[in-house]
Amino acid sequence: MITIDFDKGDGLVPAIVQDATTLNVLMLGYMNREAYEKTLASKRVTFYSRSRQTLWTKGETSGHFLELVSLKVDCDKDTLLVKAIPHGPTCHLGTDTCWGETNKANPITFLSELQAFIEQRHREMPEGSYTTSLFKDGVSRMAQKVGEEALEAVIEAVGGNDERLVYEGADLLYHLIVLLTSKGLRIEDLAEELAKRHNPNWQKH
C-alpha cells in the first residue's frame, strides 16, 4: 500500500481522476483514508464529500461508476492520480468531464498501442500471424513491403480517391512500424525526430 500524507490537508487529499484509456482528466475530488481504502477494496472510485461530510462512491445514484485501474501518489505524498474507466458521463451535469469536455481518445495515440502489439508479436512470434511472417521473411522483405505500400499510397493520391489513400496510407504505416520494430526502433523515434525538426534552430544534417 502506498504512503499518503492525509495529515497535511486535515485528513483529506485531492484526487485527480484520469481516464485510463483516453488519458483525459475527468474530475477532481477529495479522499480521506476511509475513501481511499474503500476505493481499493471495491475497485470503484470513492470520495469524501466536504459539503455533506460523508463518503460517496461516484455513480452510486446515477450508475455512472468510475472503475479503478490504478492509483498513484505524487512526490509530496499529498495528491493522488487515479486512473479509471468511466461507465457513463462523469459530471453530475451529464457531461463527460467536469470541464464540459468530450472524453474522446486522440486517434494518433493508437499508433503507440499498435507499436506495443507489434513488439509483442516480435517477442512471441505466434504461428499463423501475418506480422510473424513478415519478421520471419527478414528486413529485405519488410523494406520491400514498405516500398510497395508507399507506391500504392502515391497512386491513390494521384488518382484522387481519398478513401483508398487513407486505406493504403494505413497499410504503409503498419508495415513501417513492423520494419522499425525489426531494427529495434519505435514509431515514437520518428515522432521525436519530427519534433526536433519543428524547432526553428534545427539544421538539416
Side-chain angles (χ1 to χ4, degrees):
M1 186 175 294
I2 61 179
T3 301
I4 305 170
D5 189 354
F6 287 102
D7 295 332
K8 189 181 295 185
D10 294 328
L12 296 177
V13 294
I16 303 164
V17 182
Q18 182 183 36
D19 188 305
T21 302
T22 68
L23 303 183
N24 293 323
V25 176
L26 302 177
M27 65 170 292
L28 170 68
Y30 290 85
M31 289 187 185
N32 60 7
R33 189 177 300 278
E34 188 179 358
Y36 165 71
E37 292 175 350
K38 185 174 180 180
T39 296
L40 292 181
S42 67
K43 303 302 181 186
R44 289 180 172 177
V45 181
T46 298
F47 302 99
Y48 179 81
S49 172
R50 294 171 298 169
S51 59
R52 292 183 284 122
Q53 296 189 337
T54 186
L55 296 186
W56 64 283
T57 298
K58 182 72 184 74
E60 60 190 0
T61 301
S62 65
H64 301 155
F65 295 101
L66 291 169
E67 180 184 343
L68 179 67
V69 173
S70 66
L71 195 154
K72 294 181 180 179
V73 66
D74 75 336
C75 56
D76 291 325
K77 302 187 183 305
D78 61 2
T79 302
L80 298 175
L81 176 62
V82 182
K83 291 188 178 181
I85 298 173
H87 294 272
T90 297
C91 184
H92 70 286
L93 296 178
T95 54
D96 288 349
T97 80
C98 288
W99 290 269
E101 298 172 334
T102 301
N103 182 27
K104 288 186 177 180
N106 184 341
I108 201 71
T109 61
F110 176 71
L111 291 179
S112 290
E113 293 182 38
L114 179 60
Q115 174 73 71
F117 176 79
I118 290 174
E119 285 180 338
Q120 182 180 5
R121 282 286 194 261
H122 194 213
R123 290 192 304 270
E124 300 174 357
M125 299 289 278
E127 292 297 328
S129 163
Y130 174 66
T131 307
T132 297
S133 70
L134 288 173
F135 286 129
K136 286 184 176 180
D137 287 342
V139 172
S140 295
R141 176 56 178 158
M142 286 182 271
Q144 179 185 353
K145 286 296 296 181
V146 170
E148 291 174 359
E149 299 300 342
L151 177 59
E152 291 178 7
V154 168
I155 291 172
E156 296 300 338
V158 174
N161 189 323
D162 291 347
E163 183 177 350
R164 289 298 304 175
L165 173 58
V166 170
Y167 184 91
E168 298 299 345
D171 279 350
L172 172 58
L173 275 177
Y174 161 77
H175 285 92
L176 179 58
I177 294 175
V178 172
L179 177 60
L180 289 169
T181 303
S182 73
K183 305 290 287 184
L185 300 169
R186 293 178 56 90
I187 191 67
E188 289 89 347
D189 294 316
L190 302 190
E192 288 181 7
E193 175 63 23
L194 289 172
K196 292 177 185 176
R197 298 183 187 187
H198 192 62
N199 188 320
N201 297 322
W202 178 80
Q203 293 183 351
K204 186 176 182 179
H205 300 309

